[in-house]
Amino acid sequence: MNSAVEHQNEEHTPLLQKQAGKHSVPPKCCSVRSNLAFMMFLGFAVVYGLRVNLSVAMVAMVNATNGQPTSNGSEEKECPAPSGPSNTSHQNPDQPDGVPQYSWDPETQGMLLGAFFFGYLFTQIPGGYLSGRFGGSIFLGGGVLGTAVLTLLTPLAAQLGPSWLFALRALEGFGEGVTFPAQMAMWACWAPPLERARLTTFSGAGSNFGAFVALPLTGFICNSLGWPAVFYCFGGAGCLWAVLWFILVSDEPRTHRRISDQEKDYIINSIGSEGGSHGWSVPLLPMLLSVPLWAIIITQMCANWSYYTLLTSLPTYMDTVLHFDLRQNSFLSALPYLGAWLFSILSGVLADSLLEREILSITTVRKIFTLVEIRVSIGLLLPAGFLFAVGFTGCSSTLAVTFLTVSTTIGGISAAGVFMNQIDIAPRYAGMLLGITNTFGTIPGVLAPIAVGHLAKNRSLVGWRNVFCLSAGVSAIGALVFTLFGSGRIQRWAVREHGTDADREH
């Protein structure tokens, strides 16, 4: 395994050396690269809106009086619903006349919630490879547009049956799978090394912001207009964003029509020869033998298990265990993502500040932020501990929501850690590497909702305790792996020596 000579002189990475002789730095505010980050932020907010709307809409789509297990008569008494007319969580949520509801059991719901990730698995690596070869803008914009158009068909697919809806959600994942690799490929051309964390974390923070906005908005639309309107609204928003994206965005600074010469020269010179297109040939064998790359893969899989568990199944927990009504459910399910959004942006700014002042190396910075995100802080598994504690809160909705919010908020610091480490170790192959790591990282998205459907099929406190404890344990394993094997240094196989594909194979 080529675990790296890369650790020699790790405190003096090429990324930092490139900035030593820099000229004047153009303003960050209102720059083209900042505008690109803002467009990506909005894009990923739309992406996650399209991804999570089914999680809340499912509560309104399912007829609560049918298809639910009733073999254990005591399970309803574990956490009795609060008295009063405002709470109707186990009655059918109010829907306008003519809006259909379905009798889907918990296993079917778990399969439908995980269907998106079946398709999402298959386009990560091709999307990363093609984005690195042809540029990422067409794939990012096209992925969002295709998913948005398919989202408009969700009510029709639900009427035709769960198999049709499963296939449609899988196709949505297939289209959306190219978006994150395309983002990474674009930042390899656009992000100066000392601004990399703040630009990538700000743009990627759109995902948490999208979840925070989409979850309560979905609940409001379901109550006001009926659940089919959710998919029409989100699908329309995605189509509108795609039009603006194709008008305003370019693959790299050289081809942008409105960028100033000062900003263009700054970006190109600071990135140097390690950015840009990687050509048709990629060093596959060295990639497969790269210890730091496998550290990212395993860590991302472990971190995503808890993230996707909450993203897809938290509204179900709020409904079946804590008995919140649909509006309360959607708002409280969104609350953890507000903290994660704010912390992810702050972590990017802090990470770049540490690098600019040469206080810490890239490897050290990435490990620090990954340790916090992957649930390790000051020798304790902080977010994992809070997630573990949720399983023992019993019927205390206040404690459960508090622990979930704290756990996910601290997890937002991950944005400056493992989730941008690909661009550190191989800038020119960043899109493809993210495709590889995201492919493995999507496996929990497929398995976690199914596991929840089985573990919590009786809607019992013990079942959900097992769900949260499993998530906490998996996250802790990821923390250990990245601590031992992660790196922030450019790998030898990623260095362009003489500009030829043959050279790049070494």
Side-chain angles (χ1 to χ4, degrees):
M1 305 283 280
N2 62 3
S3 58
V5 351
E6 32 263 22
H7 289 292
Q8 298 174 2
N9 301 321
E10 195 160 289
E11 298 301 318
H12 306 287
T13 71
L15 292 177
L16 294 180
Q17 290 172 354
K18 289 175 185 174
Q19 299 296 298
K22 66 184 177 185
H23 301 293
S24 60
V25 178
K28 299 180 182 71
C29 181
C30 300
S31 63
V32 172
R33 62 193 186 279
S34 296
N35 293 339
L36 175 62
F38 181 68
M39 283 298 297
M40 285 186 178
F41 175 89
L42 294 179
F44 285 113
V46 170
V47 160
Y48 264 69
L50 296 172
R51 185 180 301 191
V52 307
N53 51 23
L54 184 63
S55 299
V56 173
M58 184 71 74
V59 177
M61 294 170 72
V62 173
N63 188 332
T65 61
N66 295 307
Q68 300 293 333
T70 57
S71 59
N72 184 354
S74 65
E75 65 189 37
E76 293 289 346
K77 299 179 181 179
E78 284 190 304
C79 294
S83 59
S86 64
N87 192 294
T88 59
S89 70
H90 278 285
Q91 303 169 18
N92 293 341
D94 292 334
Q95 294 291 289
D97 293 339
V99 174
Q101 290 184 301
Y102 308 102
S103 300
W104 295 333
D105 59 35
E107 286 85 354
T108 300
Q109 294 176 50
M111 288 294 293
L112 291 174
L113 291 172
F116 175 94
F117 299 100
F118 279 92
Y120 196 66
L121 274 169
F122 291 102
T123 49
Q124 297 281 333
I125 295 176
Y129 176 78
L130 294 173
S131 296
R133 179 67 182 91
F134 297 109
S137 64
I138 185 68
F139 293 97
L140 204 163
V144 176
L145 179 61
T147 305
V149 171
L150 290 170
T151 297
L152 296 171
L153 302 176
T154 301
L156 175 61
Q159 275 191 314
L160 294 174
S163 298
W164 285 88
L165 182 55
F166 182 95
L168 182 73
R169 290 289 293 181
L171 282 175
E172 290 180 27
F174 189 87
E176 200 172 293
V178 302
T179 53
F180 278 94
Q183 176 215 26
M184 193 63 74
M186 291 189 70
W187 282 130
C189 300
W190 277 96
L194 295 186
E195 298 178 24
R196 184 174 290 163
R198 64 169 61 93
L199 288 172
T200 55
T201 54
F202 178 79
S203 58
S207 59
N208 281 321
F209 181 78
F212 170 68
V213 172
L215 290 168
L217 185 59
T218 298
F220 175 79
I221 295 173
C222 282
N223 267 338
S224 303
L225 303 174
W227 65 259
V230 169
F231 302 100
Y232 300 138
C233 292
F234 281 93
C239 293
L240 176 61
W241 175 88
V243 171
L244 296 175
W245 173 263
F246 287 123
I247 292 173
L248 299 174
V249 169
S250 179
D251 283 320
E252 57 182 33
R254 290 183 181 88
T255 59
H256 199 283
R257 295 188 297 271
R258 293 175 296 278
I259 193 171
S260 68
D261 290 337
Q262 182 190 20
E263 184 179 6
K264 178 169 64 176
D265 292 341
Y266 165 67
I267 294 173
I268 293 172
N269 292 334
S270 62
I271 293 175
S273 62
E274 304 310 327
S277 172
H278 55 59
W280 287 109
S281 178
V282 293
L284 289 176
L285 183 58
M287 284 182 181
L288 291 174
L289 298 177
S290 174
V291 172
L293 178 57
W294 279 104
I296 298 172
I297 289 171
I298 295 172
T299 305
Q300 191 164 334
M301 289 180 66
C302 293
N304 280 358
W305 183 278
S306 59
Y307 185 82
Y308 285 137
T309 294
L310 298 184
L311 191 69
T312 59
S313 304
L314 188 55
T316 302
Y317 171 72
M318 296 284 190
D319 174 51
T320 61
V321 174
L322 302 183
H323 305 317
F324 289 113
D325 65 38
L326 187 57
R327 290 192 182 183
Q328 292 172 323
N329 182 337
S330 56
F331 174 75
L332 293 173
S333 295
L335 196 58
Y337 300 101
L338 174 62
W341 167 53
L342 295 173
F343 264 55
S344 64
I345 294 175
L346 292 174
S347 70
V349 174
L350 179 56
D352 276 347
S353 297
L354 293 173
L355 293 177
E356 284 175 351
R357 297 180 176 135
E358 300 186 15
I359 297 172
L360 297 172
S361 70
I362 289 178
T363 296
T364 304
V365 169
R366 298 294 177 250
K367 284 188 176 182
I368 287 174
F369 285 103
T370 298
L371 289 178
V372 179
E373 184 276 333
I374 267 310
R375 292 38 174 176
V376 177
S377 179
I378 319 176
L380 298 175
L381 306 174
L382 278 182
F386 283 111
L387 193 59
F388 182 82
V390 174
F392 296 89
T393 56
C395 298
S396 173
S397 57
T398 301
L399 280 178
V401 171
T402 299
F403 288 160
L404 286 167
T405 301
V406 172
S407 177
T408 307
T409 296
I410 297 175
I413 300 177
S414 70
V418 70
F419 292 100
M420 62 165 292
N421 197 208
Q422 298 92 339
I423 203 172
D424 291 329
I425 67 172
R428 286 190 303 121
Y429 303 106
M432 184 170 181
L433 292 190
L434 191 129
I436 294 171
T437 58
N438 241 19
T439 296
F440 285 94
T442 301
I443 294 173
V446 175
L447 299 180
I450 298 174
V452 171
H454 286 286
L455 292 173
K457 62 183 177 182
N458 292 323
R459 303 182 306 192
S460 66
L461 288 173
V462 172
W464 281 100
R465 179 181 303 157
N466 293 335
V467 168
F468 293 123
C469 291
L470 174 63
S471 298
V474 171
S475 295
I477 293 172
L480 178 63
V481 169
F482 195 81
T483 303
L484 295 176
F485 302 111
S487 174
R489 183 173 174 81
I490 295 179
Q491 305 298 287
R492 286 195 305 172
W493 48 264
V495 176
R496 190 201 310 258
E497 295 180 0
H498 302 293
T500 67
D501 287 342
D503 292 324
R504 291 200 294 271
E505 295 298 317
H506 304 287

